[in-house]
Amino acid sequence: MKHQRTILGGVAMTFVFGVAVATSVPAASLATAGSFEAVQADAVAGSAQSFDSAAEAAGAAVSRDGYVIHTPTPTPTPKPVATSQGGYGGGQCQAGADAVGESTAFSWVYPGGYRQSDGFGPRAEGFHKGVDMVNDEGVPVHAIADGIVIAASGDGGTGGVYLSLAHKVGGVAVCSMYMHFLDGSLMAGVGDTVTAGQVIGLTGRTGNATTEHTHFELYGADGVRYDPMPFMLEHAG
């Protein structure tokens, strides 16, 4: 009987010692060499996932574990424009050019391309004072250079919805005119400044137009319209 109590006591002490070891030694120290290598492999694999803050800020798509998050590009908001604002004569052109800095960057009206129909010069209906650039309805129209809005109208008669900008190029007043915008799509009003390539409206066929296009003109402080294509080829490339 005494011998049995001695054995039971030894077993109990062994159990207590085992519990103490299990609760005081970190689990990682009990891992086998193989399991430690697996942990290292997981850590290396995990390090391949990174966050590119510059790409995120630029609105690029970010890949995350097999799926892609697309950051939407902000869409310009149309600006309410009264029936008639400002003027697009030579005097207004010079005054607007005096109010802005020198333009050093330039953009095509349609950077993505367009189809030209009527050019500058005589035609059956009379002298055409600009160039007709054909594109689909709703395609964005871009300012050709930094400038200021000197005229804008939501209902411009034969010109439909139009906008005119004053620029300073080589110290000289250069004004650009854009006609037939989509109704309600103007994104700037008189007195607003714009930058080269900024979206100022959407392609439409308001006013005297038989198809969707932008009638584009250039003129100076004398108010006389001239062929805009040589200017655009020289400055916008």
Side-chain angles (χ1 to χ4, degrees):
M1 188 69 176
K2 180 178 179 181
H3 179 65
Q4 290 177 335
R5 286 197 298 270
T6 300
I7 293 173
L8 291 174
V11 171
M13 289 299 294
T14 301
F15 176 78
V16 170
F17 179 77
V19 171
V21 170
T23 57
S24 62
V25 179
S29 67
L30 300 177
T32 64
S35 64
F36 180 68
E37 290 173 358
V39 171
Q40 285 183 313
D42 288 342
V44 172
S47 66
Q49 295 183 346
S50 62
F51 177 75
D52 188 345
S53 60
E56 190 80 4
V62 181
S63 178
R64 290 290 182 271
D65 299 325
Y67 63 91
V68 177
I69 302 172
H70 291 283
T71 303
T73 302
T75 302
T77 302
K79 181 172 184 175
V81 175
T83 301
S84 181
Q85 296 185 54
Y88 46 86
Q92 290 93 342
C93 179
Q94 184 64 63
D98 290 341
V100 296
E102 184 74 17
S103 295
T104 57
F106 300 87
S107 169
W108 283 95
V109 175
Y110 292 112
Y114 64 98
R115 180 176 65 84
Q116 182 175 319
S117 55
D118 287 355
F120 180 85
R123 63 177 182 177
E125 297 86 350
F127 196 89
H128 193 222
K129 296 181 179 180
V131 172
D132 287 344
M133 300 177 170
V134 180
N135 224 320
D136 293 333
E137 180 178 305
V139 174
V141 177
H142 302 257
I144 64 164
D146 297 349
I148 187 170
V149 181
I150 58 173
S153 176
D155 181 15
T158 58
V161 179
Y162 67 79
L163 192 80
S164 189
L165 303 173
H167 321 277
K168 184 183 293 181
V169 182
V172 177
V174 174
C175 289
S176 55
M177 184 83 174
Y178 316 76
M179 298 180 183
H180 309 303
F181 286 111
L182 185 67
D183 189 35
S185 73
L186 285 186
M187 297 174 190
V190 172
D192 290 343
T193 56
V194 301
T195 57
Q198 180 176 325
V199 177
I200 54 176
L202 305 178
T203 303
R205 57 184 296 178
T206 54
N208 186 17
T210 57
T211 189
E212 286 73 17
H213 74 287
T214 295
H215 171 87
F216 174 62
E217 299 179 354
L218 285 184
Y219 59 101
D222 57 4
V224 177
R225 270 58 176 171
Y226 54 88
D227 188 350
M229 297 312 293
F231 177 93
M232 294 304 300
L233 289 170
E234 178 184 352
H235 294 88

